[in-house]
Amino acid sequence: MRPRPSAATRLCIAAVSAVALAVTQVPPASAHGAGGKWAAAWGASQVAGTPIPGNSCPAGSGLEDRTVRNVLFVSAGGDNVRVRLANTFGTRPVSVDRVTVALQQSGAAAVPGTLRTLTFDGRRGTTITAGEDLFSDPLPMRVRALSSLLVSVHVDEATGPVTNHPFTAQGNYLAAGDAALDTSGARYADTPCWMLVSGVDVRGSARTAGAVVTFGDSITDTASTTGNANQRYPDHLARRLQDRAGHTLSVVNAGLGGNRLIAERDGEPYYGPSGISRVERDALGQSGVRAVILQEGINDIGFGASAEDIIAGYRTFIGKVHARGVAVYGGTLLPFRGSFVWTPERQATWSTVNDWIRYSGAFDGVVDFASATASAGDPLTMDPVYDSGDGLHPDDAGTRAMADAVDLGMLLARSAPEDSPRTRTQRR
């Protein structure tokens, strides 16, 4: 777990056997096969490996003869699983010696008898080309919705800077040597980031019709939620979708702490590419994507962007999603008066942007996160019950209120056409 950020940085973070299938012939995201369609059950937006102030993630320096054990909360279940390895921002190939998947018991320990070795084109090891991701072969494995997996990746050769997701609200693990087959977890020490893994797909569930991608900044990514407790708003949304009867959707979290919609953060690559530049990979690149919920822009306001420029960014984002035949829903920006970000000028920008989201008709629908989290009688200030303490980021109750504001009928009413075939995920 990363330490709680200071007030000066919180805006920055306001982010048994395998069945062989050739890696160069990975099925398209919505392809039919034995067991039905693949749907993304977990995902994390990736950034380039660089040193991060105040963060102990080793992605900037890279790994050599180390094993990363990522803890991944899956939003949907199935009886087949595949894992997507990431070298999205790598500048050289990464050699992977062994990858395993298991059900988490607690911490770094696996449920006995559940640990399995993944293969790639029928082989244990593989090489991820610089700038690309790849899927493992499908693995017959029963996975329950809302459970946690341990995905362990051993790299034997020096990787150089590692593609990663830095801010997780989740403790992960790192061991010397090849510890991918270790069930007890005794060899592992803590590390705060997810490394080398960008997605988990499942199939075989008749209930899961596809995936909804929640897209945004730290308020989507982790907010100020309790660590190791899966209290992000997308987690609460996944619980709501799993609780309903009949067909449903998985949920993929494409939030990035500190991310901006319309521009990158100069000199701070750990906050990722701009939202409009990463939408194809982080949202439309997810298996079975049927809808996207966009809730991003407060960091742009904090950096002085005008309402006109932010709205232009929304129009660009919407156009890219609609070009793929996918529905996109606009989430209003949360109240922030009383936070260190607030000024009267920024408040005016916020009001113009939220009015446009609500009334322009540009989105396929609206999720009014602002109204759901506002103080009674003061729509410009976050309700103290939902405020983590900085006036900007919601706490566990606030993220639950955000999830409760989503109209599930709206999400499930539309289905997207099938994606065009592709082999590996696209380059950055």
Side-chain angles (χ1 to χ4, degrees):
M1 275 293 300
R2 64 189 178 101
R4 186 181 180 94
S6 67
T9 60
R10 292 192 59 128
L11 174 62
C12 302
I13 298 173
V16 173
S17 62
V19 179
L21 178 71
V23 171
T24 55
Q25 294 294 320
V26 171
S30 57
H32 289 276
K37 296 180 179 182
W38 289 106
W42 176 87
S45 298
Q46 303 297 298
V47 302
T50 58
I52 304 172
N55 190 299
S56 62
C57 178
S61 56
L63 306 173
E64 183 175 5
D65 193 22
R66 307 289 292 277
T67 304
V68 182
R69 178 157 283 182
N70 300 282
V71 182
L72 313 178
F73 180 67
V74 293
S75 61
D79 54 23
N80 278 264
V81 64
R82 65 181 184 181
V83 170
R84 186 172 59 200
L85 302 184
N87 193 18
T88 320
F89 295 94
T91 58
R92 64 189 190 191
V94 171
S95 174
V96 175
D97 175 60
R98 190 196 308 270
V99 184
T100 63
V101 60
L103 301 180
Q104 183 191 33
Q105 184 177 65
S106 62
V111 174
T114 66
L115 192 145
R116 303 286 186 271
T117 298
L118 293 167
T119 60
F120 302 84
D121 196 13
R123 295 183 292 271
R124 188 186 84 185
T126 190
T127 298
I128 319 171
T129 305
E132 293 191 338
D133 301 356
L134 62 85
F135 280 110
S136 70
D137 301 334
L139 175 72
M141 180 178 181
R142 182 63 59 85
V143 175
R144 290 183 296 105
L146 310 179
S147 62
S148 291
L149 301 180
L150 302 177
V151 175
S152 305
V153 183
H154 174 239
V155 290
D156 47 1
E157 301 173 3
T159 60
V162 173
T163 294
N164 71 104
H165 185 95
F167 310 122
T168 63
Q170 174 63 59
N172 300 286
Y173 302 94
L174 190 64
D178 183 0
L181 294 174
D182 179 62
T183 301
S184 72
R187 296 173 58 184
Y188 286 93
D190 293 343
T191 195
C193 49
W194 290 311
M195 290 181 279
L196 296 170
V197 175
S198 60
V200 174
D201 288 4
V202 295
R203 71 177 179 187
S205 169
R207 294 192 65 220
T208 305
V212 54
V213 178
T214 57
F215 196 103
D217 49 37
S218 62
I219 292 170
T220 297
D221 188 9
T222 63
S224 292
T225 57
T226 302
N228 301 324
N230 302 311
Q231 295 291 305
R232 313 162 191 87
Y233 113 70
D235 300 332
H236 291 301
L237 179 59
R239 293 183 182 98
R240 288 191 64 209
L241 284 163
Q242 288 299 320
D243 282 346
R244 72 179 305 279
H247 77 281
T248 190
L249 297 169
S250 63
V251 180
V252 178
N253 188 334
L256 266 178
N259 197 234
R260 291 186 61 186
L261 176 72
I262 62 175
E264 295 189 10
R265 301 278 294 270
D266 290 341
E268 298 173 315
Y270 38 86
Y271 297 130
S274 69
I276 57 176
S277 69
R278 66 184 179 92
V279 59
E280 290 92 347
R281 178 183 60 251
D282 291 353
L284 302 176
Q286 301 297 333
S287 298
V289 59
R290 300 297 181 91
V292 178
I293 301 173
L294 173 62
Q295 205 276 346
E296 186 161 28
I298 196 66
N299 287 329
D300 297 275
I301 291 175
F303 276 83
S306 69
E308 292 75 16
D309 286 345
I310 295 170
I311 289 168
Y314 289 147
R315 290 193 183 278
T316 299
F317 190 101
I318 293 165
K320 290 184 176 188
V321 178
H322 280 170
R324 287 284 297 275
V326 174
V328 55
Y329 303 104
T332 52
L333 304 181
L334 271 57
F336 74 119
R337 184 159 66 180
S339 77
F340 66 93
V341 180
W342 189 89
T343 67
E345 294 77 18
R346 291 170 180 173
Q347 181 64 69
T349 301
W350 179 93
S351 297
T352 300
V353 166
N354 273 357
D355 283 348
W356 187 86
I357 293 169
R358 289 185 179 109
Y359 307 122
S360 69
F363 289 101
D364 295 294
V366 174
V367 183
D368 201 346
F369 293 127
S371 296
T373 56
S375 294
D378 183 4
L380 306 184
T381 303
M382 190 179 297
D383 191 320
V385 173
Y386 300 144
D387 186 356
S388 67
D390 65 0
L392 180 67
H393 294 87
D395 59 13
D396 295 356
T399 55
R400 187 178 300 110
M402 290 180 67
D404 288 345
V406 178
D407 181 347
L408 300 189
M410 176 181 71
L411 289 184
L412 294 163
R414 293 183 47 155
S415 61
E418 302 219 343
D419 298 334
S420 58
R422 57 191 172 90
T423 53
R424 292 172 181 249
T425 56
Q426 61 267 42
R427 296 178 183 270
R428 64 184 174 96

